Amino acid sequence: MSDEHQRFAVAVYAKLKAINMKQTDLAKRLEISDVYLSDIINGKRDATRVRKRIAEILELNLDKEGRMKNGKTCEK
C-alpha cells in the first residue's frame, strides 16, 4: 500500500470511529459491497470517484485527484 493509500485508510477508519459509523453503513450509503469498499479504502482498487464520494460523506480533505491534501487525515 502506498503512503497515500495508507493516509486515506487511516483517515477513513478514524472518521468512521469518530462518528460511530460502521464500514457496512458507509458501503450502503455508497451503494457498493463491503468488500469493494474495503478494497478501495486499502488501495487495492483505483476508484477515484468513489474515493471522492467517501471524502464527501466523511468530510475528508482531498484534492481534485482524490488524494489527501497537505498530509492531513481529516478536516474535523
Side-chain angles (χ1 to χ4, degrees):
M1 179 186 313
S2 72
D3 287 343
E4 172 55 33
H5 286 110
Q6 188 172 6
R7 283 193 305 272
F8 183 74
V10 168
V12 169
Y13 292 127
K15 187 66 174 206
L16 287 172
K17 184 175 181 177
I19 64 173
N20 198 28
M21 179 186 276
K22 295 181 182 178
Q23 185 173 318
T24 55
D25 298 328
L26 180 57
K28 286 177 186 173
R29 285 191 64 182
L30 294 165
E31 298 179 347
I32 61 175
S33 74
D34 297 346
V35 173
Y36 186 55
L37 175 58
S38 180
D39 285 351
I40 293 167
I41 293 171
N42 292 302
K44 296 178 183 175
R45 298 210 185 225
D46 185 26
T48 303
R49 278 190 293 179
V50 178
R51 281 173 54 108
K52 288 180 181 179
R53 184 70 184 119
I54 292 167
E56 289 172 11
I57 291 169
L58 298 180
E59 299 178 346
L60 301 178
N61 192 12
L62 299 186
D63 65 16
K64 63 183 177 181
E65 284 82 33
R67 296 179 303 224
M68 298 300 298
K69 281 187 180 176
N70 304 322
K72 296 179 183 176
T73 55
C74 61
E75 288 187 14
K76 293 186 176 185

